[in-house]
Amino acid sequence: MEKFRQVLKDINELIVFKHSVFALPFIFVAMITASKLENGSMWFGLKLLVLGVLCAVSARSFAMAFNRYMDEDIDRPNPRCANRPSVDGRIGRGNLLLFIVANAVIFLVVAYFINSLAFKLAFPILLILGGYSVFKRFSEIAHLVLGLCLGLAPIAGAVAIGASVPLWSILLCLGVMFWVGGFDVLYSLQDLEYDKSAGLFSIPSRYGSDAAMFISSLFHAITIIFWFLFCISANLGFWAYLGVVIAGVILWQEHRIVRKDFNKIDKAFFTLNGYLGIMFFCFIFFDLWNY
């Protein structure tokens, strides 16, 4: 039993399960929005709730494990990554590959039981999820590729409910893409010097910290624009718009913290962005409740 607990602990450390707080609120935002617009009720049933969670968790586990598998050669020399289970030997490459394949299979099987469109889209989604690990080796747009990986969550949520891709889900996706891309640029400031020495294509390593801060701010400004457009497209009300405004304030505070002290990047990265996702869901939920 103790060995099993240690395996679970290592897997949790590998995929950083607590970071699911970034994507899960947005898949549920899409699901309750689609359900309310199409069926007049936010409740879409226990079956889709379970299948939606399984899809989100398996997709994220696949993406994180694949990234660790592909990045072992660049994680190993990086002091910040030296204690990761994929680097220090706690999870061998064979077991890691098995974990990747298992989560890909789970994702595809669950998508099959949702609807035919979800199953068809599941294959290109897996390719996109794996793409981040490749892009960081030759292009600065890797930050936005990572953002797209999480941004697909609201599109997946809409597809699960209505077997279609409405405009509002695309706008919500683009907002999430630039939101994640923006805070990933900030997070990459921690590895600026290492990325330079390793020849990796992060925005901070290519253009410096000042340019990275500006680009991150630009990404987050675009985020707010897309989320306002999402509210307009979905015909949402006051509480949804207020949620977007508060999201903008949280992002402003995030940049304020990082500008003052790069050592607080972890606080800005996880704490504030985690609150943002949950807050955004709550405001959309309350708005749809009074729709």
Side-chain angles (χ1 to χ4, degrees), residues 29-79:
V29 164
M31 292 178 82
I32 63 174
T33 301
S35 184
K36 183 70 172 185
L37 294 178
E38 295 189 20
N39 307 316
S41 169
M42 285 188 289
W43 178 236
F44 41 80
L46 183 60
K47 176 185 174 182
L48 281 179
L49 176 63
V50 172
L51 292 178
V53 171
L54 285 174
C55 259
V57 172
S58 59
R60 187 182 179 281
S61 297
F62 165 84
M64 290 293 293
F66 186 80
N67 184 49
R68 296 290 183 258
Y69 184 84
M70 294 294 294
D71 283 3
E72 184 185 352
D73 60 325
I74 57 178
D75 283 348
R76 191 172 294 280
N78 187 344

Side-chain angles (χ1 to χ4, degrees), residues 174-186:
L174 291 171
V176 173
M177 181 179 78
F178 280 98
W179 168 53
V180 174
F183 72 65
D184 189 57
V185 171
L186 295 180

Side-chain angles (χ1 to χ4, degrees), residues 1 16 19 27 62 101 156 166 229:
M1 182 59 72
V16 198
H19 288 179
I27 192 171
F62 165 84
V101 172
L229 292 174

Side-chain angles (χ1 to χ4, degrees), residues 241-261:
Y241 287 101
L242 181 59
V244 175
V245 171
I246 294 175
V249 173
I250 292 174
L251 291 176
W252 172 80
Q253 178 66 10
E254 177 180 340
H255 284 266
R256 186 167 170 266
I257 290 171
V258 174
R259 285 185 186 279
K260 281 187 175 181
D261 187 355

Side-chain angles (χ1 to χ4, degrees), residues 23-24 26-28 30 148-158:
L24 277 175
F26 287 93
I27 192 171
F28 288 130
L148 179 60
C149 290
L150 275 74
L152 290 171
I155 290 181

